Amino acid sequence: MSTEVRTRFAPSPTGYLHVGGARTALFNWLYAKHHGGTFVLRVEDTDESRNTETARSAIFEGMEWLGLDWEGPRNEGDCGPYFQSQRSKIYLEWFEKLIKEGRVYEEDGAWRFRFERKLITMNDLVCGEVKIDYTDDSNTPDMIIRRSDGSFVFHFVNVVDDLTMGITHAIRGEDHLMNTPKHLQLFEAFGAPPPEYAHIPLILNSDGSKMSKRDEGAALGDYPKQGFLPGAVVNFLALLGWSPKDESEIFSAAELIRKFSLDAVNRAPARFNPDKCRWVNQQHILGLSSEEFTDQYEGLASPEMLNSVKEKVSLLTEVPDAVAFYLDHDFPINSDALTKVKANENARSLLQSLAGNFENLKNWDLAKETIVLTAKAASAKPGQLMFPLRIALSGKSGGPDLGAILGILGKNECVRRLKRFTDLLA
């Protein structure tokens, strides 16, 4: 076996890239990068009836968006990936070896691989020791590896690919665990050492049910549209089944590469938590520099407006709505917030007094101090004025820091908005 660590991700282009597949790709990528090795992408596209160009593009776009760079065919002058549909000659050569060794026989036009009838013991890097008894051929019949139409089945091409590509570690979903004894027998028949296997836990919904294609968070292609940062999704996927030795949860890709190990992969199924995913994304948004954040919204609003909402959003798609009140002079007022303000019988008089004090203010830097003084003069607490003021200036009960809103809107616009709002309270 090669001393260089070589891992692989081998998706089938039959649908969108599932979050479970993306997590498998990520673990293989992290393991290879951690050990200074190589991550290989190969597309299992031998089932022409089910393959689609849309699904193939979704794989590449998803991998590129996540930043999971891969190696393609060696000595062929391109970056790949490998396509099983282009490797028929290789499969035929290895099939002939099994014929010469007497390990296959024909039955009803198909070819079966003859298992050795013995106990198979494998040492999985996540699941530990697993034993499968192949002595009873009624429970484990010989395996078809070539169909009557001449096409090869998954088990055969998977082993040939891993062997010829020098794969040293096969990290894949736990649903493949029972395939591994079959693959080990094929490697043995070829006289080649197998890769080390690591079967990672499945991803379940937050309620413990199996994640289907229609469940929230299942399709990787939805994440960019919903406003997730690729680094945040990489971070979140890493936490689905893996955890570091400490309590930290927010990592850059470089930190994940440095910390990742199969020893820290959990045996129990991972649970997908949409709220946790959005929280991780929020933390990554906070980690962006002002320029990195505002550059994504060129022409939408001023940098000051954009940066004022940076700490208030969990998704990038929330930003246009978050800054809309700055740009719309006739912005809508949230009905629940308006009702709450109307319930305060002193709100209108307090806001009218504040509007007058703002109008007379010569130094706008003292605007927040003026709020406190206005409330105090009316024997009210500043909070009793700040909430109505926020609604008057933005139409919402939440949002940017009030001081930031005052500074961005300026004196004249704040006074205009206050007068508009007090008219609504009449």
Side-chain angles (χ1 to χ4, degrees):
M1 186 181 293
S2 170
T3 55
E4 178 203 18
V5 167
R6 290 178 62 83
T7 65
R8 46 70 167 177
F9 176 51
S12 298
T14 57
Y16 64 78
L17 181 56
H18 190 275
V19 69
R23 194 270 307 261
T24 297
L26 174 62
F27 279 22
N28 278 280
W29 183 82
L30 289 172
Y31 190 80
K33 295 293 183 181
H34 178 83
H35 292 280
T38 301
F39 170 65
V40 172
L41 175 63
R42 70 171 185 249
V43 180
E44 297 188 340
D45 61 343
T46 53
D47 189 347
E48 294 182 9
S49 63
R50 298 180 63 214
N51 298 336
T52 69
E53 183 58 40
T54 300
R56 189 178 293 110
S57 297
I59 292 170
F60 303 149
E61 290 169 5
M63 297 281 285
E64 289 170 353
W65 184 73
L66 290 172
L68 307 185
D69 53 314
W70 65 79
E71 180 199 271
R74 286 180 283 179
N75 304 318
E76 295 183 23
D78 64 47
C79 62
Y82 293 92
F83 291 94
Q84 285 185 340
S85 59
Q86 300 172 3
R87 294 170 59 80
S88 299
K89 183 179 178 182
I90 296 171
Y91 301 143
L92 285 170
E93 291 172 355
W94 286 89
F95 179 67
E96 289 295 328
K97 293 184 180 184
L98 293 181
I99 293 177
K100 290 178 182 178
E101 294 295 326
R103 293 301 300 272
V104 292
Y105 59 93
E106 193 173 7
E107 182 181 89
D108 299 326
W111 288 83
R112 288 185 178 272
F113 174 73
R114 198 186 310 274
F115 285 130
E116 283 194 13
R117 296 300 162 183
K118 61 183 181 180
L119 181 68
I120 303 293
T121 300
M122 55 184 183
N123 293 301
D124 189 270
L125 296 176
V126 172
C127 301
E129 185 177 84
V130 180
K131 294 184 178 182
I132 303 293
D133 192 352
Y134 272 72
T135 57
D136 185 351
D137 59 6
S138 64
N139 289 329
T140 53
D142 289 339
M143 171 177 62
I144 292 177
I145 63 169
R146 193 177 189 185
R147 304 179 186 91
S148 57
D149 64 2
S151 63
F152 293 102
V153 302
F154 157 76
H155 301 291
F156 177 76
V157 294
N158 183 275
V159 167
V160 171
D161 284 344
D162 281 350
L163 193 161
T164 55
M165 295 175 190
I167 302 302
T168 62
H169 294 78
I171 304 168
R172 56 191 184 183
E174 196 175 48
D175 51 327
H176 283 291
L177 184 61
M178 290 300 101
N179 291 332
T180 305
K182 302 172 185 178
H183 298 178
L184 292 175
Q185 287 228 26
L186 280 166
F187 275 105
E188 191 174 297
F190 288 133
E196 293 192 68
Y197 288 95
H199 290 87
I200 57 181
L202 300 180
I203 299 174
L204 305 178
N205 289 314
S206 56
D207 63 2
S209 62
K210 185 177 180 181
M211 180 178 266
S212 74
K213 292 183 176 181
R214 294 175 296 278
D215 289 327
E216 180 181 5
L220 185 73
D222 290 342
Y223 286 80
K225 302 171 191 173
Q226 292 171 356
F228 285 91
L229 291 166
V233 176
V234 164
N235 187 163
F236 177 71
L237 291 179
L239 297 176
L240 292 176
W242 170 86
S243 59
K245 302 298 182 183
D246 53 38
E247 297 298 316
S248 53
E249 293 185 292
I250 303 303
F251 307 100
S252 66
E255 288 170 329
L256 286 171
I257 289 171
R258 181 169 55 83
K259 288 177 174 285
F260 187 80
S261 74
L262 291 173
D263 293 339
V265 173
N266 302 319
R267 183 71 181 84
R271 297 217 178 188
F272 185 93
N273 184 333
D275 293 335
K276 177 69 172 287
C277 189
R278 287 188 283 271
W279 176 80
V280 171
N281 196 66
Q282 181 185 43
Q283 301 309 300
H284 278 261
I285 288 175
L286 292 174
L288 296 174
S289 69
S290 296
E291 292 74 19
E292 289 171 331
F293 182 68
T294 58
D295 283 352
Q296 301 181 67
Y297 303 98
E298 188 174 353
L300 174 65
S302 71
E304 292 78 18
M305 292 176 185
L306 292 167
N307 276 309
S308 74
V309 303
K310 182 182 172 188
E311 296 182 2
K312 303 298 179 180
V313 297
S314 298
L315 302 169
L316 295 177
T317 46
E318 295 172 350
V319 171
D321 182 63
V323 299
F325 77 91
Y326 285 124
L327 309 169
D328 182 4
H329 290 294
D330 296 314
F331 57 91
I333 306 294
N334 178 272
S335 58
D336 290 340
L338 180 59
T339 300
K340 190 173 180 180
V341 173
K342 285 182 174 180
N344 178 0
E345 59 184 20
N346 298 321
R348 187 167 185 264
S349 61
L350 281 170
L351 291 174
Q352 286 178 322
S353 296
L354 182 63
N357 291 337
F358 274 176
E359 238 174 341
N360 295 325
L361 193 61
K362 293 191 170 30
N363 182 358
W364 189 238
D365 290 340
L366 299 176
K368 287 192 75 172
E369 185 178 329
T370 302
I371 298 170
V372 176
L373 293 174
T374 301
K376 187 176 181 180
S379 300
K381 294 180 180 179
Q384 292 178 274
L385 180 53
M386 286 183 178
F387 179 77
L389 174 60
R390 175 178 289 280
I391 307 305
L393 298 181
S394 70
K396 301 176 182 180
S397 57
D401 176 76
L402 192 55
I405 295 176
L406 292 166
I408 291 169
L409 291 177
K411 173 180 170 178
N412 292 338
E413 181 61 13
C414 285
V415 170
R416 187 194 71 80
R417 293 188 181 203
L418 275 169
K419 290 181 176 179
R420 172 201 179 214
F421 188 65
T422 54
D423 288 343
L424 293 175
L425 297 178

